[in-house]
Amino acid sequence: MTEHAKQSLPHRRTRHDHSTELAEDYVEAIAEISSSDRNCRIVDLAKYFGVSHVTVNRMVGRLQNEGLVSTEPYKPVRLTAKGSRLANRCRERHEIVYQFLLAIGVDPQAAAIDAEGIEHHVSPETLECFVQQTKAKQC
Amino acid sequence: MTEHAKQSLPHRRTRHDHSTELAEDYVEAIAEISSSDRNCRIVDLAKYFGVSHVTVNRMVGRLQNEGLVSTEPYKPVRLTAKGSRLANRCRERHEIVYQFLLAIGVDPQAAAIDAEGIEHHVSPETLECFVQQTKAKQC
DNA sequence: ATTAAATTGTAGTCGAGGCTACAATTCTGT
DNA sequence: ACAGAATTGTAGCCTCGACTACAATTTAAT
Ligand SMILES: [Mn+2]
Ligand SMILES: [Mn+2]
Ligand SMILES: [Mn+2]
Ligand SMILES: [Mn+2]
């Protein structure tokens, strides 16, 4: 650790959050689409994220390299066990952030938008505080 | 607007937040360093963010193109009026997010780290809710 | 005044994440 | 069965944000 690591730690952490963000959103999306549709296709993900199918195609390849999804040419995308576990964790965290924003009075539309970005920067400690606050508000 | 814009709006918004994030963090850092040191140098920013001076150098060039900073070769980096206004807005938003996290019980270290990423995804509506919550807790 | 150190600039590389254009494959309707 | 539509894959391009290695300039020490 360099002398200024303490100073730059928050920004280093933010950069790390961003490096894992897409994988998290992808497995979450694949889980959601798979549960309703039964089959998650490349085009579904392209529509979901608002990007081209080419971008999705390459990202799915990366997720496969990381062991999070399994797919074959021209076949649907499925989550591996590892991918499923990650998806569940992300879905729970996302839901906690979203419900917390609602609980403090943010309107549903803004809460949905903000939660999509915020979720990736919430540490376990902060997440726990969100849970407690949401509970408190519901009493 | 395409047919699925509504579905993909949160992710589009998150991508947009990320596209403006670095400029926001840079002007905020330049303002902070300038206020204590008097002179903000490339190396100061490199240490502050934990990146190489080359990365900073190019980013400062971009900020200059956007009219946020002014600098000359081998000279310190200064904020323009426009850059100063942006820095002030970002500093205020950052502080609100940080104080809010403290108010709901997050420890200072975690709050500092999480706030650095969260701040860029907080809409004006949500920010206002943060302010109200922080006030409420202080009573 | 010279040398050494610090700072800044430049050249060239890399991977991530976006795109368009086009080719290949699979699915669907008649 | 086969033509057309939808889907998926491939080639090639771009910008951003990071890096190393090295050159130029400025600052500091002797
Ligand atoms: Mn999500
Ligand atoms: Mn997200
Ligand atoms: Mn930040
Ligand atoms: Mn972010």
Side-chain angles (χ1 to χ4, degrees):
Chain A
M1 235 208 275
T2 80
E3 196 187 332
H4 296 82
K6 209 164 204 171
Q7 170 80 299
S8 62
L9 199 151
H11 289 103
R12 290 177 182 280
R13 169 69 164 279
T14 300
R15 291 197 294 272
H16 176 266
D17 293 342
H18 288 160
S19 76
T20 56
E21 171 162 351
L22 268 187
E24 293 175 351
D25 282 338
Y26 266 74
V27 295
E28 207 184 332
I30 293 167
E32 184 187 324
I33 293 169
S34 297
S35 72
S36 53
D37 260 18
R38 204 74 181 81
N39 267 354
C40 177
R41 311 296 314 215
I42 298 283
V43 271
D44 298 323
L45 291 167
K47 284 172 190 166
Y48 189 92
F49 289 114
V51 297
S52 76
H53 80 275
V54 182
T55 298
V56 173
N57 195 41
R58 198 187 24 193
M59 182 58 58
V60 166
R62 263 182 226 144
L63 296 177
Q64 193 166 27
N65 287 345
E66 295 174 34
L68 294 169
V69 311
S70 80
T71 182
E72 291 163 84
Y74 297 96
K75 291 282 171 60
V77 182
R78 283 169 304 127
L79 291 174
T80 62
K82 183 182 171 190
S84 262
R85 282 193 300 273
L86 180 59
N88 285 336
R89 270 184 284 134
C90 291
R91 188 186 48 71
E92 283 170 27
R93 190 188 56 183
H94 192 143
E95 187 65 12
I96 289 170
V97 172
Y98 177 63
Q99 292 298 332
F100 169 72
L101 291 178
L102 292 183
I104 64 169
V106 181
D107 77 279
Q109 162 110 41
I113 293 172
D114 291 10
E116 196 57 71
I118 290 174
E119 56 170 344
H120 309 280
H121 301 289
V122 174
S123 63
E125 306 92 295
T126 298
L127 197 67
E128 182 54 30
C129 291
F130 281 11
V131 170
Q132 295 309 320
Q133 284 300 120
T134 305
K135 267 190 207 161
K137 294 281 169 187
Q138 280 166 348
C139 288
Chain B
M1 226 198 291
T2 80
E3 196 187 333
H4 297 83
K6 209 164 201 170
Q7 169 81 300
S8 61
L9 199 151
H11 290 103
R12 289 177 182 279
R13 170 69 164 279
T14 300
R15 290 197 294 273
H16 176 266
D17 292 342
H18 288 159
S19 76
T20 56
E21 172 162 349
L22 268 187
E24 293 175 351
D25 282 339
Y26 266 74
V27 295
E28 208 184 331
I30 293 167
E32 183 186 325
I33 292 169
S34 297
S35 73
S36 52
D37 260 18
R38 201 76 179 82
N39 267 355
C40 177
R41 310 297 313 215
I42 298 284
V43 272
D44 299 323
L45 291 167
K47 284 172 190 165
Y48 188 93
F49 290 113
V51 298
S52 75
H53 81 276
V54 183
T55 298
V56 173
N57 195 42
R58 199 186 25 186
M59 182 58 58
V60 166
R62 263 183 225 142
L63 296 177
Q64 192 166 27
N65 287 344
E66 295 174 35
L68 294 169
V69 311
S70 80
T71 182
E72 290 163 84
Y74 298 97
K75 292 281 172 59
V77 182
R78 285 169 304 128
L79 291 174
T80 62
K82 184 183 171 190
S84 262
R85 282 192 300 274
L86 179 59
N88 286 337
R89 269 183 286 134
C90 291
R91 188 187 48 72
E92 282 169 28
R93 190 187 56 183
H94 193 144
E95 188 64 14
I96 289 170
V97 172
Y98 177 64
Q99 292 298 333
F100 169 73
L101 291 177
L102 293 184
I104 64 169
V106 181
D107 78 279
Q109 163 110 38
I113 293 173
D114 291 10
E116 197 57 70
I118 291 174
E119 55 169 342
H120 309 279
H121 302 288
V122 174
S123 62
E125 306 92 294
T126 298
L127 196 67
E128 182 54 30
C129 292
F130 282 11
V131 170
Q132 294 309 321
Q133 283 301 120
T134 305
K135 267 190 208 160
K137 295 280 169 187
Q138 281 166 347
C139 289

